[in-house]
């Protein structure tokens, strides 16, 4: 069932930058953890699989399969941002890690309206 999302999370610079930050985390984290394939796989399940299954109703344009409170969703978002900011330092050249960390920090600033919304839901 589709619903109208009331989260400030729709088609703006913040959501685009959040997606880029997520991609960085999804890529750099298993790369940084490559010595242990089980840990790298578990990280991918946490970073990609869990947010695909759970969500706060109203935060996306569709109902999540498993509804969770906004504070729990915010915790998942923080894990993703942390992965995008930290993992590149262990996996990529310094210049790329600097860019990734700067993008993650900018995402944190631009996502504040959504984060406040999540804390209220």
């Amino acid at each position: 069932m589709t619903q109208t999302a009331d989260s400030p999370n729709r088609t703006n610079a913040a959501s685009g930058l959040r997606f880029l930050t997520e991609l960085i985390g999804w890529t750099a984290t298993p790369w940084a953890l490559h010595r242990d394939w089980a840990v790298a796989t578990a990280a991918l399940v946490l970073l990609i699989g869990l947010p695909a299954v759970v969500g706060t109703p109203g935060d996306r344009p569709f109902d999540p399969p498993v509804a969770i409170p906004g504070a729990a969703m915010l915790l998942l978002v923080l894990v993703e941002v942390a992965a995008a900011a930290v993992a590149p330092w262990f996996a990529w050249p310094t210049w790329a890690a600097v860019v990734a960390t700067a993008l993650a920090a900018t995402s944190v600033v631009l996502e504040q309206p959504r984060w406040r919304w999540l804390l209220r839901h």
Side-chain angles (χ1 to χ4, degrees), residues 10-11 16 20 39 41 44 52 57 63 71-72 74 93 95 98-100 111 115 118:
R10 301 290 131 244
T11 61
L20 181 58
V39 173
T41 301
L44 284 177
D63 289 331
L74 181 55
W95 68 267
V98 168
V99 171
E111 283 279 292
W115 291 10
L118 284 170

mmCIF file with all atom_site columns, all heavy atoms in Angstrom, residues 10-11 16 20 39 41 44 52 57 63 71-72 74 93 95 98-100 111 115 118:
data_model
loop_
_atom_site.group_PDB
_atom_site.id
_atom_site.type_symbol
_atom_site.label_atom_id
_atom_site.label_alt_id
_atom_site.label_comp_id
_atom_site.label_asym_id
_atom_site.label_entity_id
_atom_site.label_seq_id
_atom_site.pdbx_PDB_ins_code
_atom_site.Cartn_x
_atom_site.Cartn_y
_atom_site.Cartn_z
_atom_site.occupancy
_atom_site.B_iso_or_equiv
_atom_site.pdbx_formal_charge
_atom_site.auth_seq_id
_atom_site.auth_comp_id
_atom_site.auth_asym_id
_atom_site.auth_atom_id
_atom_site.pdbx_PDB_model_num
ATOM 1   N N   . ARG A 1 10  ? 11.921 14.190  0.798  1.00 0.00 ? 10  ARG A N   1
ATOM 2   C CA  . ARG A 1 10  ? 11.547 13.965  -0.586 1.00 0.00 ? 10  ARG A CA  1
ATOM 3   C C   . ARG A 1 10  ? 12.351 14.811  -1.553 1.00 0.00 ? 10  ARG A C   1
ATOM 4   O O   . ARG A 1 10  ? 12.394 16.028  -1.428 1.00 0.00 ? 10  ARG A O   1
ATOM 5   C CB  . ARG A 1 10  ? 10.063 14.297  -0.804 1.00 0.00 ? 10  ARG A CB  1
ATOM 6   C CG  . ARG A 1 10  ? 9.122  13.515  0.040  1.00 0.00 ? 10  ARG A CG  1
ATOM 7   C CD  . ARG A 1 10  ? 9.070  12.062  -0.397 1.00 0.00 ? 10  ARG A CD  1
ATOM 8   N NE  . ARG A 1 10  ? 9.226  11.238  0.759  1.00 0.00 ? 10  ARG A NE  1
ATOM 9   C CZ  . ARG A 1 10  ? 10.247 10.402  0.972  1.00 0.00 ? 10  ARG A CZ  1
ATOM 10  N NH1 . ARG A 1 10  ? 11.183 10.260  0.130  1.00 0.00 ? 10  ARG A NH1 1
ATOM 11  N NH2 . ARG A 1 10  ? 10.314 9.695   2.061  1.00 0.00 ? 10  ARG A NH2 1
ATOM 12  N N   . THR A 1 11  ? 12.925 14.171  -2.523 1.00 0.00 ? 11  THR A N   1
ATOM 13  C CA  . THR A 1 11  ? 13.552 14.766  -3.691 1.00 0.00 ? 11  THR A CA  1
ATOM 14  C C   . THR A 1 11  ? 14.159 16.141  -3.448 1.00 0.00 ? 11  THR A C   1
ATOM 15  O O   . THR A 1 11  ? 13.737 17.151  -3.991 1.00 0.00 ? 11  THR A O   1
ATOM 16  C CB  . THR A 1 11  ? 12.559 14.857  -4.860 1.00 0.00 ? 11  THR A CB  1
ATOM 17  O OG1 . THR A 1 11  ? 11.462 15.675  -4.478 1.00 0.00 ? 11  THR A OG1 1
ATOM 18  C CG2 . THR A 1 11  ? 12.081 13.502  -5.297 1.00 0.00 ? 11  THR A CG2 1
ATOM 19  N N   . GLY A 1 16  ? 19.445 13.234  -1.857 1.00 0.00 ? 16  GLY A N   1
ATOM 20  C CA  . GLY A 1 16  ? 20.453 12.812  -2.834 1.00 0.00 ? 16  GLY A CA  1
ATOM 21  C C   . GLY A 1 16  ? 21.816 12.610  -2.193 1.00 0.00 ? 16  GLY A C   1
ATOM 22  O O   . GLY A 1 16  ? 22.505 11.617  -2.466 1.00 0.00 ? 16  GLY A O   1
ATOM 23  N N   . LEU A 1 20  ? 24.132 9.152   -1.665 1.00 0.00 ? 20  LEU A N   1
ATOM 24  C CA  . LEU A 1 20  ? 25.558 9.069   -1.994 1.00 0.00 ? 20  LEU A CA  1
ATOM 25  C C   . LEU A 1 20  ? 26.362 8.632   -0.769 1.00 0.00 ? 20  LEU A C   1
ATOM 26  O O   . LEU A 1 20  ? 27.261 7.792   -0.871 1.00 0.00 ? 20  LEU A O   1
ATOM 27  C CB  . LEU A 1 20  ? 26.055 10.419  -2.511 1.00 0.00 ? 20  LEU A CB  1
ATOM 28  C CG  . LEU A 1 20  ? 27.522 10.497  -2.912 1.00 0.00 ? 20  LEU A CG  1
ATOM 29  C CD1 . LEU A 1 20  ? 27.848 9.474   -3.991 1.00 0.00 ? 20  LEU A CD1 1
ATOM 30  C CD2 . LEU A 1 20  ? 27.847 11.902  -3.384 1.00 0.00 ? 20  LEU A CD2 1
ATOM 31  N N   . VAL A 1 39  ? 32.406 -11.082 8.586  1.00 0.00 ? 39  VAL A N   1
ATOM 32  C CA  . VAL A 1 39  ? 32.169 -9.761  9.178  1.00 0.00 ? 39  VAL A CA  1
ATOM 33  C C   . VAL A 1 39  ? 31.762 -8.769  8.086  1.00 0.00 ? 39  VAL A C   1
ATOM 34  O O   . VAL A 1 39  ? 30.853 -7.959  8.276  1.00 0.00 ? 39  VAL A O   1
ATOM 35  C CB  . VAL A 1 39  ? 33.414 -9.270  9.949  1.00 0.00 ? 39  VAL A CB  1
ATOM 36  C CG1 . VAL A 1 39  ? 33.237 -7.835  10.424 1.00 0.00 ? 39  VAL A CG1 1
ATOM 37  C CG2 . VAL A 1 39  ? 33.704 -10.189 11.125 1.00 0.00 ? 39  VAL A CG2 1
ATOM 38  N N   . THR A 1 41  ? 30.236 -9.457  5.307  1.00 0.00 ? 41  THR A N   1
ATOM 39  C CA  . THR A 1 41  ? 28.867 -9.791  4.912  1.00 0.00 ? 41  THR A CA  1
ATOM 40  C C   . THR A 1 41  ? 27.866 -9.309  5.948  1.00 0.00 ? 41  THR A C   1
ATOM 41  O O   . THR A 1 41  ? 26.820 -8.752  5.601  1.00 0.00 ? 41  THR A O   1
ATOM 42  C CB  . THR A 1 41  ? 28.732 -11.308 4.701  1.00 0.00 ? 41  THR A CB  1
ATOM 43  O OG1 . THR A 1 41  ? 29.664 -11.712 3.694  1.00 0.00 ? 41  THR A OG1 1
ATOM 44  C CG2 . THR A 1 41  ? 27.327 -11.691 4.280  1.00 0.00 ? 41  THR A CG2 1
ATOM 45  N N   . LEU A 1 44  ? 27.287 -5.664  5.537  1.00 0.00 ? 44  LEU A N   1
ATOM 46  C CA  . LEU A 1 44  ? 26.391 -5.363  4.419  1.00 0.00 ? 44  LEU A CA  1
ATOM 47  C C   . LEU A 1 44  ? 24.936 -5.644  4.770  1.00 0.00 ? 44  LEU A C   1
ATOM 48  O O   . LEU A 1 44  ? 24.041 -4.878  4.393  1.00 0.00 ? 44  LEU A O   1
ATOM 49  C CB  . LEU A 1 44  ? 26.793 -6.145  3.173  1.00 0.00 ? 44  LEU A CB  1
ATOM 50  C CG  . LEU A 1 44  ? 28.015 -5.619  2.441  1.00 0.00 ? 44  LEU A CG  1
ATOM 51  C CD1 . LEU A 1 44  ? 28.368 -6.523  1.267  1.00 0.00 ? 44  LEU A CD1 1
ATOM 52  C CD2 . LEU A 1 44  ? 27.789 -4.195  1.967  1.00 0.00 ? 44  LEU A CD2 1
ATOM 53  N N   . ALA A 1 52  ? 16.361 -1.861  4.423  1.00 0.00 ? 52  ALA A N   1
ATOM 54  C CA  . ALA A 1 52  ? 15.421 -2.212  3.361  1.00 0.00 ? 52  ALA A CA  1
ATOM 55  C C   . ALA A 1 52  ? 14.158 -2.857  3.916  1.00 0.00 ? 52  ALA A C   1
ATOM 56  O O   . ALA A 1 52  ? 13.101 -2.798  3.297  1.00 0.00 ? 52  ALA A O   1
ATOM 57  C CB  . ALA A 1 52  ? 16.087 -3.159  2.363  1.00 0.00 ? 52  ALA A CB  1
ATOM 58  N N   . PRO A 1 57  ? 6.960  4.549   9.401  1.00 0.00 ? 57  PRO A N   1
ATOM 59  C CA  . PRO A 1 57  ? 5.858  4.921   8.509  1.00 0.00 ? 57  PRO A CA  1
ATOM 60  C C   . PRO A 1 57  ? 5.820  6.432   8.281  1.00 0.00 ? 57  PRO A C   1
ATOM 61  O O   . PRO A 1 57  ? 5.952  7.218   9.219  1.00 0.00 ? 57  PRO A O   1
ATOM 62  C CB  . PRO A 1 57  ? 4.615  4.439   9.260  1.00 0.00 ? 57  PRO A CB  1
ATOM 63  C CG  . PRO A 1 57  ? 5.128  3.312   10.119 1.00 0.00 ? 57  PRO A CG  1
ATOM 64  C CD  . PRO A 1 57  ? 6.509  3.743   10.532 1.00 0.00 ? 57  PRO A CD  1
ATOM 65  N N   . ASP A 1 63  ? 4.891  2.018   2.502  1.00 0.00 ? 63  ASP A N   1
ATOM 66  C CA  . ASP A 1 63  ? 4.919  1.469   3.850  1.00 0.00 ? 63  ASP A CA  1
ATOM 67  C C   . ASP A 1 63  ? 6.085  0.495   3.993  1.00 0.00 ? 63  ASP A C   1
ATOM 68  O O   . ASP A 1 63  ? 6.297  -0.358  3.126  1.00 0.00 ? 63  ASP A O   1
ATOM 69  C CB  . ASP A 1 63  ? 3.615  0.713   4.156  1.00 0.00 ? 63  ASP A CB  1
ATOM 70  C CG  . ASP A 1 63  ? 2.440  1.638   4.321  1.00 0.00 ? 63  ASP A CG  1
ATOM 71  O OD1 . ASP A 1 63  ? 2.651  2.793   4.747  1.00 0.00 ? 63  ASP A OD1 1
ATOM 72  O OD2 . ASP A 1 63  ? 1.308  1.207   4.035  1.00 0.00 ? 63  ASP A OD2 1
ATOM 73  N N   . ALA A 1 71  ? 13.100 6.997   16.300 1.00 0.00 ? 71  ALA A N   1
ATOM 74  C CA  . ALA A 1 71  ? 14.388 6.991   17.001 1.00 0.00 ? 71  ALA A CA  1
ATOM 75  C C   . ALA A 1 71  ? 15.227 5.784   16.591 1.00 0.00 ? 71  ALA A C   1
ATOM 76  O O   . ALA A 1 71  ? 16.449 5.887   16.430 1.00 0.00 ? 71  ALA A O   1
ATOM 77  C CB  . ALA A 1 71  ? 14.170 7.004   18.506 1.00 0.00 ? 71  ALA A CB  1
ATOM 78  N N   . ALA A 1 72  ? 14.596 4.642   16.381 1.00 0.00 ? 72  ALA A N   1
ATOM 79  C CA  . ALA A 1 72  ? 15.319 3.444   15.935 1.00 0.00 ? 72  ALA A CA  1
ATOM 80  C C   . ALA A 1 72  ? 15.823 3.633   14.502 1.00 0.00 ? 72  ALA A C   1
ATOM 81  O O   . ALA A 1 72  ? 16.941 3.230   14.164 1.00 0.00 ? 72  ALA A O   1
ATOM 82  C CB  . ALA A 1 72  ? 14.422 2.220   16.031 1.00 0.00 ? 72  ALA A CB  1
ATOM 83  N N   . LEU A 1 74  ? 16.554 6.505   13.175 1.00 0.00 ? 74  LEU A N   1
ATOM 84  C CA  . LEU A 1 74  ? 17.646 7.465   13.273 1.00 0.00 ? 74  LEU A CA  1
ATOM 85  C C   . LEU A 1 74  ? 18.936 6.760   13.689 1.00 0.00 ? 74  LEU A C   1
ATOM 86  O O   . LEU A 1 74  ? 20.011 7.083   13.189 1.00 0.00 ? 74  LEU A O   1
ATOM 87  C CB  . LEU A 1 74  ? 17.293 8.585   14.250 1.00 0.00 ? 74  LEU A CB  1
ATOM 88  C CG  . LEU A 1 74  ? 18.351 9.666   14.432 1.00 0.00 ? 74  LEU A CG  1
ATOM 89  C CD1 . LEU A 1 74  ? 18.740 10.290  13.100 1.00 0.00 ? 74  LEU A CD1 1
ATOM 90  C CD2 . LEU A 1 74  ? 17.855 10.726  15.400 1.00 0.00 ? 74  LEU A CD2 1
ATOM 91  N N   . PRO A 1 93  ? 42.430 5.584   -0.532 1.00 0.00 ? 93  PRO A N   1
ATOM 92  C CA  . PRO A 1 93  ? 43.499 6.578   -0.362 1.00 0.00 ? 93  PRO A CA  1
ATOM 93  C C   . PRO A 1 93  ? 43.007 7.757   0.495  1.00 0.00 ? 93  PRO A C   1
ATOM 94  O O   . PRO A 1 93  ? 41.800 8.011   0.588  1.00 0.00 ? 93  PRO A O   1
ATOM 95  C CB  . PRO A 1 93  ? 43.792 7.052   -1.790 1.00 0.00 ? 93  PRO A CB  1
ATOM 96  C CG  . PRO A 1 93  ? 43.125 6.089   -2.694 1.00 0.00 ? 93  PRO A CG  1
ATOM 97  C CD  . PRO A 1 93  ? 42.057 5.401   -1.926 1.00 0.00 ? 93  PRO A CD  1
ATOM 98  N N   . TRP A 1 95  ? 42.996 10.965  0.089  1.00 0.00 ? 95  TRP A N   1
ATOM 99  C CA  . TRP A 1 95  ? 42.190 12.000  -0.562 1.00 0.00 ? 95  TRP A CA  1
ATOM 100 C C   . TRP A 1 95  ? 40.730 11.557  -0.687 1.00 0.00 ? 95  TRP A C   1
ATOM 101 O O   . TRP A 1 95  ? 39.811 12.355  -0.503 1.00 0.00 ? 95  TRP A O   1
ATOM 102 C CB  . TRP A 1 95  ? 42.763 12.392  -1.928 1.00 0.00 ? 95  TRP A CB  1
ATOM 103 C CG  . TRP A 1 95  ? 42.673 11.303  -2.961 1.00 0.00 ? 95  TRP A CG  1
ATOM 104 C CD1 . TRP A 1 95  ? 43.624 10.373  -3.253 1.00 0.00 ? 95  TRP A CD1 1
ATOM 105 C CD2 . TRP A 1 95  ? 41.557 11.020  -3.805 1.00 0.00 ? 95  TRP A CD2 1
ATOM 106 N NE1 . TRP A 1 95  ? 43.169 9.525   -4.243 1.00 0.00 ? 95  TRP A NE1 1
ATOM 107 C CE2 . TRP A 1 95  ? 41.904 9.898   -4.600 1.00 0.00 ? 95  TRP A CE2 1
ATOM 108 C CE3 . TRP A 1 95  ? 40.301 11.602  -3.990 1.00 0.00 ? 95  TRP A CE3 1
ATOM 109 C CZ2 . TRP A 1 95  ? 41.045 9.353   -5.543 1.00 0.00 ? 95  TRP A CZ2 1
ATOM 110 C CZ3 . TRP A 1 95  ? 39.446 11.051  -4.929 1.00 0.00 ? 95  TRP A CZ3 1
ATOM 111 C CH2 . TRP A 1 95  ? 39.821 9.949   -5.701 1.00 0.00 ? 95  TRP A CH2 1
ATOM 112 N N   . VAL A 1 98  ? 39.043 11.702  2.748  1.00 0.00 ? 98  VAL A N   1
ATOM 113 C CA  . VAL A 1 98  ? 38.716 13.091  3.102  1.00 0.00 ? 98  VAL A CA  1
ATOM 114 C C   . VAL A 1 98  ? 37.426 13.510  2.414  1.00 0.00 ? 98  VAL A C   1
ATOM 115 O O   . VAL A 1 98  ? 36.530 14.102  3.041  1.00 0.00 ? 98  VAL A O   1
ATOM 116 C CB  . VAL A 1 98  ? 39.883 14.038  2.729  1.00 0.00 ? 98  VAL A CB  1
ATOM 117 C CG1 . VAL A 1 98  ? 39.455 15.499  2.814  1.00 0.00 ? 98  VAL A CG1 1
ATOM 118 C CG2 . VAL A 1 98  ? 41.085 13.780  3.623  1.00 0.00 ? 98  VAL A CG2 1
ATOM 119 N N   . VAL A 1 99  ? 37.294 13.204  1.136  1.00 0.00 ? 99  VAL A N   1
ATOM 120 C CA  . VAL A 1 99  ? 36.073 13.549  0.398  1.00 0.00 ? 99  VAL A CA  1
ATOM 121 C C   . VAL A 1 99  ? 34.866 12.822  0.984  1.00 0.00 ? 99  VAL A C   1
ATOM 122 O O   . VAL A 1 99  ? 33.807 13.429  1.196  1.00 0.00 ? 99  VAL A O   1
ATOM 123 C CB  . VAL A 1 99  ? 36.236 13.223  -1.114 1.00 0.00 ? 99  VAL A CB  1
ATOM 124 C CG1 . VAL A 1 99  ? 34.912 13.364  -1.847 1.00 0.00 ? 99  VAL A CG1 1
ATOM 125 C CG2 . VAL A 1 99  ? 37.289 14.124  -1.734 1.00 0.00 ? 99  VAL A CG2 1
ATOM 126 N N   . ALA A 1 100 ? 35.005 11.546  1.283  1.00 0.00 ? 100 ALA A N   1
ATOM 127 C CA  . ALA A 1 100 ? 33.901 10.763  1.840  1.00 0.00 ? 100 ALA A CA  1
ATOM 128 C C   . ALA A 1 100 ? 33.470 11.313  3.195  1.00 0.00 ? 100 ALA A C   1
ATOM 129 O O   . ALA A 1 100 ? 32.270 11.441  3.468  1.00 0.00 ? 100 ALA A O   1
ATOM 130 C CB  . ALA A 1 100 ? 34.303 9.299   1.969  1.00 0.00 ? 100 ALA A CB  1
ATOM 131 N N   . GLU A 1 111 ? 20.516 16.790  6.722  1.00 0.00 ? 111 GLU A N   1
ATOM 132 C CA  . GLU A 1 111 ? 19.482 15.851  7.162  1.00 0.00 ? 111 GLU A CA  1
ATOM 133 C C   . GLU A 1 111 ? 18.794 16.259  8.463  1.00 0.00 ? 111 GLU A C   1
ATOM 134 O O   . GLU A 1 111 ? 17.877 15.559  8.907  1.00 0.00 ? 111 GLU A O   1
ATOM 135 C CB  . GLU A 1 111 ? 20.100 14.457  7.353  1.00 0.00 ? 111 GLU A CB  1
ATOM 136 C CG  . GLU A 1 111 ? 20.337 13.735  6.057  1.00 0.00 ? 111 GLU A CG  1
ATOM 137 C CD  . GLU A 1 111 ? 19.072 13.093  5.554  1.00 0.00 ? 111 GLU A CD  1
ATOM 138 O OE1 . GLU A 1 111 ? 18.572 12.146  6.157  1.00 0.00 ? 111 GLU A OE1 1
ATOM 139 O OE2 . GLU A 1 111 ? 18.567 13.566  4.521  1.00 0.00 ? 111 GLU A OE2 1
ATOM 140 N N   . TRP A 1 115 ? 15.840 14.289  10.612 1.00 0.00 ? 115 TRP A N   1
ATOM 141 C CA  . TRP A 1 115 ? 16.168 13.698  11.903 1.00 0.00 ? 115 TRP A CA  1
ATOM 142 C C   . TRP A 1 115 ? 15.230 14.199  12.993 1.00 0.00 ? 115 TRP A C   1
ATOM 143 O O   . TRP A 1 115 ? 14.793 13.428  13.843 1.00 0.00 ? 115 TRP A O   1
ATOM 144 C CB  . TRP A 1 115 ? 17.618 13.983  12.270 1.00 0.00 ? 115 TRP A CB  1
ATOM 145 C CG  . TRP A 1 115 ? 18.616 13.257  11.403 1.00 0.00 ? 115 TRP A CG  1
ATOM 146 C CD1 . TRP A 1 115 ? 18.358 12.558  10.242 1.00 0.00 ? 115 TRP A CD1 1
ATOM 147 C CD2 . TRP A 1 115 ? 20.008 13.157  11.613 1.00 0.00 ? 115 TRP A CD2 1
ATOM 148 N NE1 . TRP A 1 115 ? 19.520 12.050  9.733  1.00 0.00 ? 115 TRP A NE1 1
ATOM 149 C CE2 . TRP A 1 115 ? 20.553 12.402  10.550 1.00 0.00 ? 115 TRP A CE2 1
ATOM 150 C CE3 . TRP A 1 115 ? 20.872 13.650  12.574 1.00 0.00 ? 115 TRP A CE3 1
ATOM 151 C CZ2 . TRP A 1 115 ? 21.903 12.118  10.449 1.00 0.00 ? 115 TRP A CZ2 1
ATOM 152 C CZ3 . TRP A 1 115 ? 22.218 13.373  12.475 1.00 0.00 ? 115 TRP A CZ3 1
ATOM 153 C CH2 . TRP A 1 115 ? 22.724 12.610  11.424 1.00 0.00 ? 115 TRP A CH2 1
ATOM 154 N N   . LEU A 1 118 ? 12.022 12.375  12.482 1.00 0.00 ? 118 LEU A N   1
ATOM 155 C CA  . LEU A 1 118 ? 12.121 10.995  12.957 1.00 0.00 ? 118 LEU A CA  1
ATOM 156 C C   . LEU A 1 118 ? 12.001 10.916  14.476 1.00 0.00 ? 118 LEU A C   1
ATOM 157 O O   . LEU A 1 118 ? 11.353 10.014  15.010 1.00 0.00 ? 118 LEU A O   1
ATOM 158 C CB  . LEU A 1 118 ? 13.437 10.348  12.500 1.00 0.00 ? 118 LEU A CB  1
ATOM 159 C CG  . LEU A 1 118 ? 13.509 9.927   11.044 1.00 0.00 ? 118 LEU A CG  1
ATOM 160 C CD1 . LEU A 1 118 ? 14.929 9.540   10.666 1.00 0.00 ? 118 LEU A CD1 1
ATOM 161 C CD2 . LEU A 1 118 ? 12.537 8.792   10.752 1.00 0.00 ? 118 LEU A CD2 1
#
